Amino acid sequence: MTEREVRVRFAPSPTGPLHIGGVRTALYNYLLARKLGGKMLLRIEDTDQNRFVPGAEEYILEALAWCGIVIDEGVGVGGPHAPYKQSERKPMYKQYADQLIADGHAYYAFDTPEELDAMRARLQAAKVPNPQYNSITRAQMRNSLTLPEDEVKALLDGGAQYVIRLKVPRKEEVRFQDLIRGWVVVHSSAIDDKVLMKSDGMPTYHLANIVDDHLMEISHVIRGEEWLPSAPLHVLLYRYLGWEKTMPQFAHLPLLLKPDGTGKLSKRDGDRLGFPVFPLEWHGIDGDTGEPTLSRGYREDGYLPEALVNFLAFLGWNPGSQQEIFSMDELIQAFSIERVSKSPAKFDQNKVKWFNEHYLRAKPNAELAPYLLEALHEHAIVCSPEKAEQIVGVMKERVSFPKDFWQEAKYFFQAPTEYDPAVVSKKWNAEVGAALTAYAAALPGAPAVSAEDLKTLFNDTMAAQGLKPGQVLQALRVAVTGAAAGPDLFETLVILGVPEVVERLRAAVVALG
Ligand code: GLU
């Protein structure tokens, strides 16, 4: 037998912005596809038209592209199984529901919403904890299993409203092997007779998902833990449709928890806990008030996609070594489903920031300079790209996000108007002021303007003043930048240039005495 081609899919529903948990699901699918030389598909599961949110599909595509998750086949790309959007595949599903009916695995149900409510009320009154339409209750309902054949035919011919339900057996063990969780065994009495086709002729998620995974020859279904309870039902569908032999392998990923471990990280947690839970910013509408809402995104908050990807990869997987920094290619090499954990992963906002700092520092200055140049442009400050590169070069060890460059590097463009009071009170006195005046006088004669030269000149000038450099260094920094801390001081002087430093020293002496 030839090895089965690895084909995985990410199958989001366009019901809003993609949560970072969804991005992790897409990422793990992508890593496995690339690792095993397979294909990554994107299918949009939009059979629930009531939950459709405009812009969500575009958001999904943009978010995946930003993260570097490349789709081989699917929405936005096309491929041999097009269309990849379920609403556009609507005519394909009915035949499979009909097949299930013909084979005795599904049935028509004509119950009205009132009849369904009455059934639930009856069961609740009888203290049934979880009333369901199932192998027991179906016997009391209006469906093609209880009604005479001619009545069923008359109802169908007369255009009566109906749904098609799966006939779940009463006493059967449904088992399947999950790649992450091992054997999962569920008794069929715990599964209800799920609706497969709705009265509007749309398939439900369950039917469409199985039909599409089969037709699209999906080999592995990798998805969030919230789908684990549906998996036994899906196994029954594969069996009843005669597709069990090619049923995909299942892998249900661990839950993502809030940072304190108290429950699932939800879409609302971002605003509450002060960090984004979405890859990109999302402009939405509040469901209750109808007011426009804005949810933060990693991209707009200044995270680099490499950092988010590296972080998400570790939320539920580890390489089994101490290495933490992985490029996408390295993740592809290292990834395996066997190393995905089944225990939930706690979100850690400090860790994602740590990854961001790492990736920011690893970037060449030329790639970071545009962030500073953009901010300078907004403030109508002219700066050469070379100078911007020098500045981000000395600042990148000190910032977490590209947007911090401007905030932290402002003093390269604006002479201080205030001086850190703690440094002034501790380090500034008349003697220090005189020493800095001497340094200002000596600077124009510096043999060359390198950090080393300016430092030597400083040490020599201080020695001539009878002071140790350490007594004056902090005062020098505060005089030139206004701040108590910053990058290498003499590098800073070089970037500022001697005339500017001299001017700032003189101004500080005037201001501070
Ligand atoms: N449409 C489902 C979702 O939104 C897909 C679940 C699956 O991967 O089977 O998550």
Side-chain angles (χ1 to χ4, degrees), residues 458-469:
F458 179 74
N459 292 346
D460 294 349
T461 311
M462 293 310 112
Q465 297 288 316
L467 291 168
K468 291 203 191 79

Side-chain angles (χ1 to χ4, degrees), residues 9 11-13 45 205 209 223 227:
R9 86 302 193 271
S13 297
E45 301 208 325
Y205 155 73
N209 186 271
R223 60 186 174 189
W227 298 103

Side-chain angles (χ1 to χ4, degrees), residues 246-303:
T246 54
M247 182 170 87
Q249 290 193 275
F250 289 104
H252 289 90
L253 303 177
L255 281 182
L256 289 190
L257 301 183
K258 297 182 208 299
D260 63 3
T262 58
K264 209 172 137 177
L265 182 69
S266 80
K267 289 194 172 187
R268 285 166 195 263
D269 284 334
D271 296 333
R272 209 171 50 78
L273 300 170
F275 59 84
V277 292
F278 300 113
L280 319 176
E281 205 168 78
W282 170 257
H283 296 265
I285 309 270
D286 186 289
D288 299 327
T289 64
E291 294 290 319
T293 58
L294 177 64
S295 305
R296 287 162 60 180
Y298 279 87
R299 182 177 65 184
E300 290 73 15
D301 268 23
Y303 286 86

